[in-house]
Amino acid sequence: MVTKGDQTILVTGANSFIAGHIIAQALAKGYKVSGTVRSEEAANKVRKTFDKYQSQLYISIVADIEKPELYESAFASSSTPITAVIHTASPFTFAVKDNVKDLLNPAIEGSTAILKAVKKYGGSVRHVVSTSSFAGVADLTQGLRPGYTYTDKDWAPFTYEFAKDAEIVPAYGASKALAEKAMWEFVEKEKVAFTLTTINPPWVFGPHHGGPPPLANLNVSTGMLWRLVDSPEVPPPDFLSCADVRDVAAAHIAAIEKADAAGKRYLIGNKFTYQDAVDIARETIPSLQDRLPKGTPGAGKGLESYTLDKTQVEGLLGRALTPVATTITDTLTQLLEAK
Ligand code: NDP
C-alpha cells in the first residue's frame, strides 16, 4: 500500500502566505514536501518555519519560474516519488512597473513552465493543482451584479492586449485568467498523464503560518485588512468576497486526494465587505474598538451584490467554509502581535 510518507508534493512559491498553510497541512498529514522558492533567503525562512519536519521537507531554488529546465533538480532530488504538484508561485503585487515583464509573463509562462517540467521530469505526478483566483473569474465591468452567482463557468473577460497597459487590478485579473487558461489548454493539447484542478479564491485572509508577518512587508491580501486599523474611513467594497487561508490550503490538498476533483475549477469564498470587517473586529477585538473607522454598521450585510457558488468546494472539503467572523478576528488578532 502507498502511504502518504511514500509520496512527495512539490509546492512552488513555498514561501508564499498560502503555501505556508498548504505545506503545514501536507506535512501534518504525513506527506513529504519538495518546495521551490527563488532565493536562498526565502529557502532558509521556509526551512526555519518547518524546522521540526526536517526529514519530510526539502527546499530547492528555482530562480526563474518561466524556465521549465530549472525544475529538473527539484524533481530529481526527491527521495520518494513526486505524485502531486501545487503551483502557487505567481506575482501578486501592486508594485508593477511593466505589466508584461512583472506580471503577465511570470504568471502565464510560469504556469506553462511548471506543466512542461512535470511532463518532462515528473513521470510519477498524477495531479497538478494551481492556485488561480476569483480575479480571473469575476467580470468587474458588471459591478455589484445583485442576484448573480459566479460559478466555474465564468471567466474574467480580459485579453492579453488589454492587460499590457491596464490598471493593476484588471491586469492582475488578466494575469490569473490567462495563466489558468494556458494551463487548461496545455493539459488538453499535450495529452498529459496527470490531472489539473484549480482553486479560485477571492481575497484570502487568515493568520500566517509560523507567526505574525512583519507589518512593514505584508503580502497584498493581509495588507488590505491591516490598512483598516487607524484608517479614517471604511474602504469601498471591491471583490465582495473572501476566503480563509486554512480552507484554501485544505482545498488544495483535498483536490489531490479526491479523484472527482480532476478537471475542476473550485470557487471558494464567502460574501465580504470592509464594512463587515470593521463591524466584526470592533465586536470581537476590544483593543481595536477605537482604532477602526465606524462607517455605517450593518451596511455590508445589507449590500445587494453577486455571490460565489461555494457548493462545489464545500463538497470537496466535506464541510462548510470557515465563517468570515472567524477569519477576520484571527487575522487581525495575529497582526496585533506583530512587530
Ligand atoms: P505571496 O505574496 O505571499 O506569495 C507570492 C509567491 O509567488 C511568492 O512565493 C513569490 O516569491 C512568488 N512569486 C511572485 N512573483 C514571482 C516571480 N516573478 N517569479 C517567481 N516567483 C514569484 O502571495 P499569496 O500567498 O497571497 O499568493 C499565492 C498565490 O495565490 C498567487 O498565485 C496568487 O495569485 C494567488 N492568490 C492569492 C490571493 C490572496 O488574496 N492572497 C487570492 C487569490 C489568488 P518571492 O517571495 O520570491 O517574491
Side-chain angles (χ1 to χ4, degrees):
M1 193 186 118
V2 182
T3 66
K4 292 190 172 72
D6 298 325
Q7 302 174 55
T8 298
I9 304 175
L10 187 144
V11 181
T12 71
N15 61 326
S16 73
F17 166 50
I18 295 176
H21 285 272
I22 293 172
I23 294 172
Q25 291 182 18
L27 293 172
K29 283 187 129 189
Y31 289 105
K32 292 194 171 122
V33 171
S34 171
T36 67
V37 293
R38 58 173 166 171
S39 70
E40 197 53 53
E41 189 192 344
N44 287 334
K45 225 176 115 198
V46 180
R47 288 185 192 112
K48 198 169 157 214
T49 305
F50 296 103
D51 198 26
K52 70 171 189 174
Y53 286 104
Q54 273 177 28
S55 64
Q56 276 170 260
L57 180 67
Y58 180 79
I59 300 293
S60 53
I61 311 280
V62 172
D64 184 347
I65 56 167
E66 295 177 44
K67 297 197 170 133
E69 64 275 17
L70 299 189
Y71 285 101
E72 184 173 6
S73 70
F75 281 98
S77 54
S78 181
S79 58
T80 54
I82 292 181
T83 50
V85 170
I86 297 180
H87 180 55
T88 84
S90 195
F92 188 19
T93 168
F94 290 153
V96 166
K97 285 197 191 115
D98 178 329
N99 284 1
V100 171
K101 267 205 332 239
D102 302 339
L103 196 58
L104 295 166
N105 283 355
I108 301 168
E109 301 304 324
S111 290
T112 47
I114 184 68
L115 296 183
K116 285 178 188 164
V118 174
K119 195 171 176 218
K120 190 155 183 202
Y121 312 116
S124 45
V125 172
R126 296 291 162 260
H127 310 286
V128 174
V129 183
S130 184
T131 319
S132 190
S133 175
F134 180 64
V137 170
D139 183 352
L140 297 176
T141 64
Q142 303 281 338
L144 294 178
R145 245 182 160 175
Y148 189 77
T149 304
Y150 279 105
T151 72
D152 58 347
K153 305 284 179 296
D154 288 295
W155 285 95
F158 308 119
T159 62
Y160 187 88
E161 273 316 297
F162 163 81
K164 278 177 14 189
D165 300 305
E167 297 288 318
I168 183 63
V169 174
Y172 170 71
S175 79
K176 297 303 285 183
L178 296 170
E180 194 196 320
K181 279 185 178 160
M183 292 183 101
W184 289 116
E185 276 164 27
F186 186 96
V187 296
E188 171 86 30
K189 251 201 219 142
E190 300 284 328
K191 310 253 175 305
V192 293
F194 53 86
T195 64
L196 176 65
T197 303
T198 66
I199 309 296
N200 295 62
W203 288 122
V204 179
F205 302 132
H208 283 240
H209 180 77
L215 293 178
N217 190 20
L218 291 175
N219 62 301
V220 169
S221 56
T222 307
M224 293 306 272
L225 266 197
W226 184 243
R227 77 187 163 141
L228 300 177
V229 176
D230 301 326
S231 162
E233 54 194 31
V234 180
D238 44 38
F239 282 101
L240 289 156
S241 43
C242 75
D244 188 293
V245 66
R246 296 158 289 196
D247 290 347
V248 172
H252 283 77
I253 308 259
I256 288 169
E257 294 179 337
K258 302 213 170 146
D260 64 354
K264 294 205 176 122
R265 309 173 75 208
Y266 286 98
L267 272 58
I268 173 169
N270 286 309
K271 207 173 159 214
F272 164 82
T273 64
Y274 298 106
Q275 183 68 55
D276 295 330
V278 297
D279 292 352
I280 291 162
R282 197 173 300 98
E283 204 173 304
T284 59
I285 309 176
S287 65
L288 283 181
Q289 288 275 345
D290 301 324
R291 295 185 64 190
L292 292 168
K294 251 209 174 86
T296 312
K301 290 247 170 306
L303 184 71
E304 291 199 22
S305 67
Y306 61 74
T307 52
L308 272 66
D309 176 15
K310 57 180 178 176
T311 54
Q312 296 230 44
V313 84
E314 289 189 336
L316 177 72
L317 293 172
R319 61 170 170 82
L321 296 181
T322 302
V324 173
T326 306
T327 308
I328 300 305
T329 305
D330 290 356
T331 313
L332 290 172
T333 301
Q334 188 192 51
L335 290 172
L336 285 169
E337 293 160 13
K339 299 268 182 315

